[in-house]
Amino acid sequence: RPSIYCPDFIAANQGERADNVMTGTKQEMMQKIRADIRDFKEKKNLDKVIILWTANTERFCDITEGLNMTAEELLNSIQNNEDEVSPSTIFAVASILEGCTYINGSPQNTFVPGVQELAEMEGVYIAGDDFKSGQTKYKSVLVDFLVGAGIKPVSIVSYNHLGNNDGKNLSSPKQFRSKEISKSNVVDDMVGSNKILYADGKKPDHTVVIKYVPYVADSKRAMDEYISEIS
């Protein structure tokens, strides 16, 4: 089935892969997604459909008054074909309006306040902020262990390189920034929960590097350096 392609939200190097895309306004594309969900559910004779976003990382979208702060604003913005409504947010809105749980597997800010309010109004579950299945998962476990043991991480440097299309998309600065924020939030959440080690409100120095190396393909490589203090 065709999908939404908004070049501004993903890296320019993805254009040649966009060969099965929808046309029309954002409102028309959202209605098409809703129709696809209903068609899939009917043809497969399903009681429930859960939507899982596994597409490319998008850049962060703006969150502003009049655009997406409320459900009404967001629905109006889609109706008005506003540029700053991302494809993943359109998918989320379509899923919610069809009563389908929506899981976000990428690190962009899909769940703007208007999406959250709409989900509450419709009584539909939404979840997810990146799969965090690799280095980030390891980091969340290790930082939680160190902080829980009274060992204070003061510097974390994470390096990654990979060669598949995920790496190619993340070679664009705006898309990388979404991933960087997601990886940083894991550490921020952990240290923010311990007011004894981090009573001054400071956070560890945390740097994330991701490089695109086509030769290694799906064989993602990751290296981390942790420096900690015992308080």
Side-chain angles (χ1 to χ4, degrees):
R1 297 174 188 263
S3 190
I4 302 174
Y5 174 59
C6 296
D8 183 50
F9 280 92
I10 60 174
N13 58 37
Q14 298 298 298
E16 62 185 28
R17 293 170 55 90
D19 58 3
N20 187 24
V21 300
M22 292 180 180
T23 58
T25 67
K26 292 186 175 181
Q27 177 70 20
E28 291 168 343
M29 290 189 286
M30 185 189 72
Q31 294 299 343
K32 180 62 169 64
I33 294 167
R34 294 186 64 181
D36 283 346
I37 293 171
R38 292 193 298 270
D39 179 65
F40 180 80
K41 185 176 182 179
E42 180 181 350
K43 287 183 175 178
K44 300 295 182 180
N45 193 28
L46 301 174
D47 294 326
K48 180 184 295 185
V49 173
I50 296 175
I51 308 298
L52 175 63
W53 175 275
T54 61
N56 273 336
T57 297
E58 300 170 339
R59 69 166 174 81
F60 265 43
C61 65
D62 292 339
I63 299 178
T64 57
E65 295 285 349
L67 176 70
N68 52 21
M69 293 299 292
T70 68
E72 182 179 7
E73 288 179 358
L74 180 56
L75 292 173
N76 285 338
S77 293
I78 294 173
Q79 178 69 48
N80 295 333
N81 205 35
E82 294 287 348
D83 290 340
E84 204 57 25
V85 180
S86 70
S88 64
T89 293
I90 296 173
F91 266 89
V93 170
S95 301
I96 292 167
L97 294 177
E98 290 301 316
C100 300
T101 294
Y102 184 92
I103 302 173
N104 177 35
S106 294
Q108 67 272 341
N109 60 340
T110 298
F111 299 144
V112 296
V115 169
Q116 298 176 42
E117 182 179 270
L118 183 64
E120 291 179 2
M121 290 167 56
E122 298 293 329
V124 175
Y125 292 112
I126 57 173
D129 173 20
D130 200 5
F131 285 125
K132 297 183 175 72
S133 58
Q135 183 188 54
T136 312
K137 182 64 175 177
Y138 174 81
K139 183 181 295 182
S140 66
V141 173
L142 183 56
V143 173
D144 183 48
F145 168 77
L146 292 171
V147 171
I151 301 171
K152 182 180 181 179
V154 293
S155 174
I156 303 171
V157 180
S158 300
Y159 170 85
N160 309 255
H161 69 264
L162 65 162
N164 58 19
N165 193 61
D166 185 30
K168 188 176 183 180
N169 183 60
L170 290 173
S171 66
S172 174
K174 288 183 179 180
Q175 284 67 38
F176 166 71
R177 180 57 181 155
S178 293
K179 192 73 171 178
E180 184 180 36
I181 291 171
S182 175
K183 285 177 173 289
S184 298
N185 284 346
V186 168
V187 174
D188 293 346
D189 290 344
M190 297 298 178
V191 302
S193 67
N194 192 309
K195 302 302 182 184
I196 298 176
L197 288 181
Y198 297 94
D200 53 7
K202 292 183 178 179
K203 302 174 183 178
D205 290 336
H206 186 199
T207 299
V208 177
V209 177
I210 300 177
K211 293 298 183 181
Y212 176 52
V213 183
Y215 179 79
V216 302
D218 286 332
S219 182
K220 182 179 179 181
R221 319 295 172 85
M223 292 172 280
D224 294 271
E225 178 189 76
Y226 291 79
I227 300 176
S228 300
E229 297 176 349
I230 298 178
S231 299

